[in-house]
Amino acid sequence: MTGFMLSPKLLYSFTALLILLSFTANSQVAIRLSQPSKDQSNVNTSRQYIAGRTCVGCKLTINNDTVHVYSTGTFAAKYDLNTGRNNFTITATSPDNQTTTRNVTFYYNPVPAPVATQAFRIDFMEITPSGNLQLMPGDTLNIRLKAQPGQTATWINNQPLKELPASQSGGVPGYYSGTYILQPGDSLLNGKILAKLRNAGGSITTLASTYRYSMLRNELPFTGRTIDNMTYLVASPFGDRLGPDKIGYLDKDVLLHIVGKQNDYYKIRLSANHYAYIPEPLVDTEIPQEELSVSVAEDAKTWSDEKFDYVSVGLSDRLPYLSTQRVEDRKIIVDIHGAYADKALSTALERTREIKSIAWGQPFPDVCRLVISLKHDPWGYLVYYDNNRLVVRVKRQPEKLALNNLVIGLDAGHGGSNPGATGLTGAVEKQWTLLLALQLKSLLEREGATVLMSRTTEKFVPNEDRLSFFRRADPDILLSIHFNSSVNPVDVSGTANYYKQPFCEPLNAAIHARLLETGLKDFGNNGNFNFILNNPTEFPDALIETLFLSNPGDEEKLLQPAFQQLIVEKIVQGLKDYLQKLKAQR
């Protein structure tokens, strides 16, 4: 798919013209609300916001109190409601004293506090882990339910539940809890778990679980293999708006021991005391099923080429692995699950230029650990398989730490059918990320850098495709440009950086420090973030949430050409600061 592409200068002129026309069209007195979305709203939280847009130059009052109108015509105010009906009259007055009024009503009904169940019934129950599960003997289920106090509650195999003292349940009696460890004889034939409540007179009431449960029974271990090198492991099948927390990518054909299933995720036994989850579509289970063999890590080797240093070790099969970094002492740590370290594993180095030393260990009986010590701060690495040899490819810092020697990956967030956030003026994130990214590209290229972009036109690019593109291209640094958003348009504003891998913190810190010089508030340099482009280990990366598009003050700044230029200049200065700090450490 080919899109029409404008130069950064023309793109800015076009965007600015649209904004100007929009402002001109709204020169007549008017009130357009983004929050609330309706003139009458039922709400169950007391803090509410009235935010939107009026004509440029207009004055605005809400219940006769003056509300600040930004130069873009936007406004935002917050209110703490009283229980019941709350009326607000919004009045806009133009410079020539034309007025218009809009009325907004909130009906505030607080969520009632929990009270003891009076009737003989079970109100609800929560079983964890939750979801449609395939389980094995030895797995543990936990239950918590709310019912009439003082009765006898049971569940699987008539196991009793304990009624919690009111002091342990928010002062409300009638909460029951229990734990059950699955036994080999348990059936759970894809059925629902039944909780029972019995009173003194022998009457029984029941409640069935929302989800279904079954036992995973195999004479042999149930195994599968990863389908490609974009396969990832997660800590849990549940997550936030970015999905479950990814804990690492695996190469193709890695052997996985499947010990359960939770909704659409297989539960994986990495080693005796370590488990993870993997999306079902990423595992091929149509493979020969056989006993898991014992794998001894042996025949360690090191070498180098023009760009990378390497460490490899032989295994009997492609076993799962996880990795992390320690920036403070310049180490890369790789754990090979299901492997045992041969006591004779070599630690000798052959012609490595970045790797200072390697060490082999056994932190757990069935986990082989490789610790790679570096001469400099980590610059990126990749773990993969060459046949049944696990290879760690360590990227060296460029000899010349200057922008004119680097390849910069640049990602303009969102695009096409994925618009991202929308500001009170109607500014859409996908357009402004592209605009800023193209301006940043021009400035970086003037500095002599080579720039690779995930998109240069207004089109949709799946995040998985962006990740695959940058992992193949292997830039020296990756920057992803976004704008933040919040339901609170009044108090939440500022610039923020996000990263996941520890070795990416210094890059993000350097850029964030410079962006604070724009006068934007500090929303933090935030680690352990689960954004897809923060997950690779091959290169330092930064997610730059430039400002809050939802905040009218931040949005007002963004619409100023001089401020746009300031943002991209500060990002480039932050890159230079990062490189200069690394140079000083040599």
Side-chain angles (χ1 to χ4, degrees):
M1 176 180 174
T2 302
F4 176 67
M5 183 173 69
L6 299 172
S7 69
K9 184 175 182 181
L10 287 175
L11 181 62
Y12 163 69
S13 300
F14 179 69
T15 306
L17 178 61
L18 288 178
I19 294 171
L20 178 61
L21 290 174
S22 177
F23 284 175
T24 302
N26 285 296
S27 60
Q28 297 297 317
V29 62
I31 300 170
R32 293 177 175 82
L33 293 181
S34 297
Q35 292 190 62
S37 59
K38 300 182 296 184
D39 287 347
Q40 297 189 46
S41 305
N42 293 309
V43 298
N44 54 25
T45 55
S46 62
R47 174 63 57 85
Q48 296 296 323
Y49 303 94
I50 299 176
R53 188 178 182 189
T54 185
C55 47
V56 175
C58 282
K59 295 180 180 179
L60 191 99
T61 62
I62 300 180
N63 287 357
N64 295 321
D65 292 329
T66 300
V67 175
H68 177 70
V69 177
Y70 290 83
S71 64
T72 55
T74 59
F75 62 90
K78 63 181 177 181
Y79 296 94
D80 290 317
L81 306 182
N82 297 316
T83 300
R85 180 171 179 154
N86 296 259
N87 296 319
F88 295 90
T89 299
I90 310 166
T91 302
T93 305
S94 68
D96 58 358
N97 288 322
Q98 296 182 44
T99 64
T100 190
T101 297
R102 186 165 176 177
N103 294 309
V104 168
T105 300
F106 294 99
Y107 296 94
Y108 170 45
N109 297 297
V111 177
V115 296
T117 303
Q118 300 301 315
F120 178 58
R121 67 169 185 260
I122 302 173
D123 286 346
F124 65 84
M125 66 177 174
E126 300 168 343
I127 298 176
T128 55
S130 66
N132 296 309
L133 305 184
Q134 290 183 2
L135 303 157
M136 296 185 70
D139 286 342
T140 299
L141 291 175
N142 300 287
I143 188 171
R144 184 174 184 267
L145 62 81
K146 183 175 183 290
Q148 188 180 48
Q151 310 304 331
T152 300
T154 59
W155 67 324
I156 303 173
N157 292 341
N158 289 317
Q159 291 294 305
L161 302 180
K162 177 184 177 182
E163 183 176 359
L164 300 174
S167 60
Q168 296 179 18
S169 55
V172 179
Y175 285 88
Y176 300 78
S177 68
T179 296
Y180 184 78
I181 300 175
L182 293 171
Q183 304 300 309
D186 290 330
S187 57
L188 300 182
L189 300 176
N190 197 32
K192 295 187 174 185
I193 292 175
L194 202 65
K196 298 179 181 179
L197 192 71
R198 182 190 299 268
N199 64 17
S203 298
I204 296 175
T205 185
T206 63
L207 183 66
S209 63
T210 302
Y211 299 105
R212 294 183 176 274
Y213 303 80
S214 61
M215 297 292 282
L216 187 65
R217 301 182 187 278
N218 294 287
E219 293 182 6
L220 295 173
F222 181 29
T223 58
R225 290 189 183 272
T226 56
I227 63 169
D228 58 31
N229 68 352
M230 293 288 286
T231 300
Y232 56 85
L233 298 176
V234 297
S236 162
F238 301 103
D240 56 18
R241 62 184 179 85
L242 297 174
D245 182 24
K246 297 179 180 66
I247 57 176
Y249 282 85
L250 297 176
D251 202 358
K252 183 180 180 180
D253 291 331
V254 172
L255 181 65
L256 299 175
H257 182 191
I258 300 169
V259 295
K261 190 178 179 186
Q262 193 164 353
N263 294 335
D264 296 327
Y265 286 81
Y266 283 125
K267 183 179 181 180
I268 305 299
R269 182 184 183 271
L270 300 173
S271 51
N273 298 308
H274 299 87
Y275 295 86
Y277 293 85
I278 189 168
E280 180 182 4
L282 301 184
V283 184
D284 177 14
T285 58
E286 298 297 321
I287 64 172
Q289 299 293 318
E290 55 188 32
E291 290 287 352
L292 294 168
S293 59
V294 175
S295 188
V296 178
E298 56 188 0
D299 188 26
K301 296 179 180 179
T302 63
W303 70 96
S304 66
D305 58 23
E306 289 300 314
K307 192 174 181 180
F308 304 101
D309 286 357
Y310 300 84
V311 181
S312 78
V313 65
L315 299 167
S316 64
D317 208 325
R318 295 189 171 203
L319 301 179
Y321 51 84
L322 294 172
S323 71
T324 189
Q325 321 91 42
R326 290 208 306 258
V327 178
E328 63 274 13
D329 55 359
R330 298 174 172 175
K331 293 187 187 318
I332 297 168
I333 301 167
V334 180
D335 284 343
I336 311 169
H337 290 268
Y340 304 85
D342 188 332
K343 292 182 179 180
L345 271 175
S346 172
T347 59
L349 301 181
E350 294 290 337
R351 303 182 306 278
T352 57
R353 292 160 55 183
E354 177 59 36
I355 297 176
K356 185 168 64 175
S357 66
I358 62 173
W360 299 94
Q362 198 82 39
F364 301 95
D366 54 353
V367 178
C368 174
R369 174 168 290 177
L370 167 61
V371 180
I372 302 173
S373 297
L374 306 176
K375 296 178 182 177
H376 306 97
D377 285 359
W379 187 265
Y381 63 96
L382 175 66
V383 187
Y384 63 96
Y385 275 101
D386 182 2
N387 294 318
N388 284 351
R389 293 191 69 84
L390 185 76
V391 182
V392 184
R393 188 188 74 185
V394 179
K395 181 182 285 189
R396 292 194 289 268
Q397 285 188 7
E399 292 186 10
K400 183 182 178 184
L401 287 168
L403 287 176
N404 62 8
N405 190 48
L406 299 184
V407 176
I408 306 295
L410 192 52
D411 172 60
H414 303 277
S417 60
N418 182 7
T422 300
L424 295 177
T425 68
V428 181
E429 182 176 5
K430 66 176 184 177
Q431 298 169 347
W432 287 95
T433 58
L434 181 58
L435 175 63
L436 281 191
L438 290 172
Q439 292 186 34
L440 181 56
K441 176 179 183 289
S442 295
L443 187 53
L444 287 169
E445 288 175 340
R446 288 203 296 272
E447 294 283 346
T450 300
V451 178
L452 304 175
M453 294 191 68
S454 58
R455 69 179 181 104
T456 57
T457 60
E458 175 40 44
K459 66 177 182 179
F460 173 71
V461 181
N463 280 338
E464 292 77 10
D465 291 353
R466 299 175 196 235
L467 174 64
S468 181
F469 167 71
F470 285 121
R471 291 187 73 191
R472 290 195 308 270
D474 193 29
D476 294 301
I477 291 172
L478 171 61
L479 306 178
S480 185
I481 307 300
H482 283 252
F483 293 96
N484 237 329
S485 184
S486 171
V487 295
N488 181 345
V490 178
D491 305 303
V492 180
S493 64
T495 187
N497 272 61
Y498 296 86
Y499 63 93
K500 185 176 183 71
Q501 306 296 341
F503 80 99
C504 298
E505 191 278 338
L507 168 65
N508 283 267
I511 294 173
H512 185 63
R514 285 293 187 176
L515 284 173
L516 289 176
E517 295 177 354
T518 64
L520 291 167
K521 290 183 180 179
D522 186 356
F523 203 71
N525 182 31
N526 307 280
N528 198 32
F529 195 65
N530 195 36
F531 178 55
I532 189 169
L533 294 185
N534 287 143
N535 281 283
T537 61
E538 289 96 314
F539 34 75
D541 62 69
L543 169 57
I544 307 170
E545 293 277 6
T546 317
L547 48 75
F548 273 83
L549 201 56
S550 55
N551 181 272
D554 280 9
E555 185 187 27
E556 179 185 52
K557 293 182 175 71
L558 175 65
L559 299 182
Q560 300 168 8
F563 195 81
Q564 299 163 24
Q565 183 65 25
L566 181 62
I567 286 175
V568 298
E569 287 175 355
K570 291 301 181 183
I571 292 172
V572 172
Q573 288 175 4
L575 285 171
K576 290 180 178 179
D577 292 344
Y578 171 63
L579 298 174
Q580 186 60 41
K581 182 177 179 181
L582 293 177
K583 190 184 300 184
Q585 292 173 348
R586 288 185 171 178

